[in-house]
Amino acid sequence: MLKFFNALPGAQRGMAFAKIFATAWMAQSAAMSAMAQSDAAAPVQSVALSAVPQPEAAAEADVKTESWGWHWQATNTTQKHGTFTSPYSGPQSLLSVESAKETLDTTLFLGARVWKGGEFYLNPEFDQGYGLENTLGVAGFTSGDAYKVGHDTPYARLHRAFLRQTFSLDDGPTEFVESSANNLAGTRSENRITLTLGKISVPDLFDGNAYAHDPRADFLNWTVIEAGAFDYAADSWGFSSGAALEWAHRDWTLRGGFYAMSKQPNMETLDGTFKQQQWLLELERHYDLLGHPGAVRVLGFLTHARMGLYTDAVSQGLALDTAPNTANVRQVANKTGYVLNLEQELAPDVGAFARYSANDGKTEAYDFTDINQALSGGVSIKGSYWNQPEHRVGLAFAVNGLSSQAKAYFAAGGMGILIGDGQLPHYGTEQILEAYYSARLNKYLTVTGDYQFVKNPAYNEDRGPVSVWGLRLHAEL
């Protein structure tokens, strides 16, 4: 990581160190204050709102039930890429030479029990910074901690505000829910129905995975932590409003959801009228394979909104002798897609994961990124094998592709959500390798070094490959 920082200009190197030590100081100060008052708060592991990761079985009769709770996190992620071959570039290309970019976010997770089975949560957050090239130039973007909206100065957003209502269906076995971000400690029935209503991020509930799902704790690349072709409902920060209903019966879970798309593709504002909408259905099964836990999930989605067809945009561009633009040919249309998602423990403290996703590829990407087929997989290993149980190493790959209609659109000079080199004479699948090493320094502070290798950025064989180095500092209470 010293090589990474030495590559930064002096002023940016100083700012990066200052922000890292400021974050660490805030975490340590808050930790000392919290220890002085109470040691009941547990570290934040994820913001998953469903059955991922699985709660522990409730074996104690005196399990403490929280009536309210809070958690806090702050994450600083800095990335820089090396120079690479770039015979040409377009309006949304990754620059061949670029200074390091960083993002900083800090979140307060507040929760309270409001009545029997009812819990209400608020997540105010401050954000600052930019992804590489303002989060452009790679369909499988390199930092899940970088939003599509960048700012030089911190700004506040209320990213989540939701009600969770749980209905027990019998008096049978219960399971323990650990105190964590957006989860109050207590017990719940293994046979239950859960209603989640309000503003969340769709991946909080859908497409979960124990080994690759949290850019603040594991991998960073968008198409490793999420299914690349899952064009889920979201504003430019990745959040949406709607409702989800989940039925859990021991090892089986069935969940469905209905969420608002943004008013227009890749827009900051959601469609509050729900005319631009998305429906989701996911079936999840947990199991043991030779004594090792695993899970498989099958997800389908249907988006109903005003979207431009790639073929219509290309035809119009040819007729007018201009570059195609899907914004000029938008009409009410449907987009369908699916995700296959697998996680499997291979040995104690060793887990593997895989995802395959695809959408119909006829219409423009709406809220996520410009991908029509995606395959990813990898392994995660805890440091108990080298006497560092609080360390973790991860290795993953992702391969992203376009439909024939999308290829023709980008080859003619069209722009997408994240990509657009102005031409695409030599198409190739976007291929990504990612490796990280995470070291937990104490109960509150974790530092991670990350490396990504991107071949054919934005599906362009004429550009790249690109090496991206990253440093992440994460503090939590």
Side-chain angles (χ1 to χ4, degrees):
M1 301 317 297
L2 288 175
K3 182 184 289 186
F4 169 78
F5 271 105
N6 288 336
L8 300 180
Q12 290 188 350
R13 186 164 60 243
M15 289 183 65
F17 274 118
K19 288 187 177 181
I20 287 174
F21 283 111
T23 305
W25 180 84
M26 287 191 294
Q28 195 69 21
S29 299
M32 296 301 294
S33 175
M35 288 189 292
Q37 300 175 29
S38 168
D39 51 14
V44 176
Q45 298 298 322
S46 72
V47 293
L49 309 181
S50 61
V52 183
Q54 282 286 286
E56 300 173 1
E60 306 158 21
D62 58 346
V63 170
K64 179 181 177 181
T65 298
E66 289 181 319
S67 59
W68 68 279
W70 66 272
H71 294 270
W72 168 86
Q73 77 82 32
T75 304
N76 178 271
T77 302
T78 303
Q79 288 191 319
K80 179 174 175 57
H81 68 75
T83 58
F84 61 90
T85 300
S86 177
Y88 55 85
S89 62
Q92 295 184 179
S93 295
L94 188 68
L95 296 179
S96 59
V97 179
E98 184 180 6
S99 61
K101 295 294 186 295
E102 59 84 31
T103 57
L104 176 65
D105 56 78
T106 181
T107 315
L108 186 61
F109 304 93
L110 302 171
R113 296 188 189 275
V114 290
W115 52 68
K116 183 178 180 180
E119 305 163 22
F120 185 70
Y121 295 91
L122 292 173
N123 292 177
E125 180 171 302
F126 281 93
D127 300 298
Q128 178 268 330
Y130 298 87
L132 293 171
E133 189 48 28
N134 201 19
T135 319
L136 294 172
V138 184
F141 194 70
T142 60
S143 175
D145 213 31
Y147 297 127
K148 297 173 185 174
V149 179
H151 284 275
D152 291 314
T153 57
Y155 63 97
R157 295 277 298 179
L158 183 62
H159 284 319
R160 295 181 183 88
F162 66 94
L163 173 71
R164 180 194 297 136
Q165 179 67 50
T166 304
F167 304 93
S168 296
L169 298 181
D170 58 30
D171 296 325
T174 60
E175 57 191 20
F176 174 60
V177 179
E178 185 179 356
S179 177
S180 62
N182 294 331
N183 284 296
L184 296 171
T187 60
R188 64 187 182 189
S189 172
E190 290 186 354
N191 186 17
R192 64 187 181 276
I193 290 178
T194 304
L195 172 66
T196 304
L197 182 66
K199 185 180 181 184
I200 64 164
S201 179
V202 169
D204 289 344
L205 292 170
F206 297 87
D207 191 38
N209 195 290
Y211 303 112
H213 196 55
D214 187 354
R216 293 166 177 165
D218 49 69
F219 296 94
L220 281 171
N221 190 276
W222 284 21
T223 49
V224 173
I225 60 175
E226 294 170 0
F230 180 22
D231 192 7
Y232 61 87
D235 58 18
S236 295
W237 291 268
F239 298 86
S240 181
S241 296
L245 191 64
E246 177 180 282
W247 171 55
H249 183 70
R250 300 190 178 180
D251 294 333
W252 290 89
T253 303
L254 178 66
R255 63 180 63 89
F258 172 74
Y259 287 91
M261 307 296 289
S262 53
K263 287 185 176 180
Q264 297 178 21
N266 195 33
M267 194 175 185
E268 297 182 13
T269 308
L270 294 172
D271 184 354
T273 68
F274 287 87
K275 291 181 180 179
Q276 327 298 317
Q277 62 193 242
Q278 185 172 77
W279 296 84
L280 308 104
L281 186 66
E282 184 177 48
L283 179 64
E284 176 180 331
R285 172 71 196 282
H286 286 257
Y287 59 85
D288 279 341
L289 179 64
L290 302 177
H292 297 288
V296 60
R297 302 171 185 88
V298 180
L299 165 68
F301 65 93
L302 167 67
T303 300
H304 180 78
R306 287 183 55 82
M307 296 176 279
L309 293 169
Y310 287 127
T311 53
D312 288 351
V314 171
S315 296
Q316 185 189 70
L318 289 172
L320 300 177
D321 195 25
T322 61
N325 187 343
T326 52
N328 297 333
V329 293
R330 285 174 183 156
Q331 58 183 309
V332 176
N334 292 328
K335 172 185 285 188
T336 58
Y338 64 92
V339 179
L340 305 178
N341 180 329
L342 176 69
E343 64 181 66
Q344 179 63 57
E345 183 183 81
L346 303 179
D349 293 339
V350 180
F353 69 93
R355 286 183 176 98
Y356 177 77
S357 58
N359 58 58
D360 57 34
K362 299 175 183 178
T363 59
E364 63 184 310
Y366 202 98
D367 279 334
F368 187 39
T369 186
D370 307 287
I371 297 174
N372 302 122
Q373 308 98 25
L375 175 67
S376 64
V379 295
S380 174
I381 305 171
K382 289 187 177 179
S384 54
Y385 289 92
W386 54 94
N387 298 318
Q388 295 290 344
E390 297 299 322
H391 292 200
R392 187 187 306 167
V393 63
L395 179 65
F397 74 91
V399 180
N400 306 317
L402 292 176
S403 66
S404 58
Q405 298 95 319
K407 292 177 193 176
Y409 174 77
F410 288 106
M415 296 292 119
I417 290 180
L418 297 192
I419 66 171
D421 291 337
Q423 55 183 298
L424 190 60
H426 303 107
Y427 167 84
T429 56
E430 190 177 76
Q431 301 167 33
I432 299 166
L433 290 175
E434 180 176 7
Y436 76 86
Y437 190 94
S438 175
R440 194 166 192 172
L441 304 182
N442 54 47
K443 186 178 179 181
Y444 309 102
L445 193 61
T446 302
V447 63
T448 303
D450 185 89
Y451 172 77
Q452 295 176 54
F453 179 83
V454 183
K455 183 180 179 182
N456 305 332
Y459 311 103
N460 196 334
E461 291 184 339
D462 294 344
R463 307 183 79 244
V466 187
S467 288
V468 182
W469 294 270
L471 179 67
R472 177 179 64 203
L473 186 77
H474 175 74
E476 61 184 35
L477 288 174

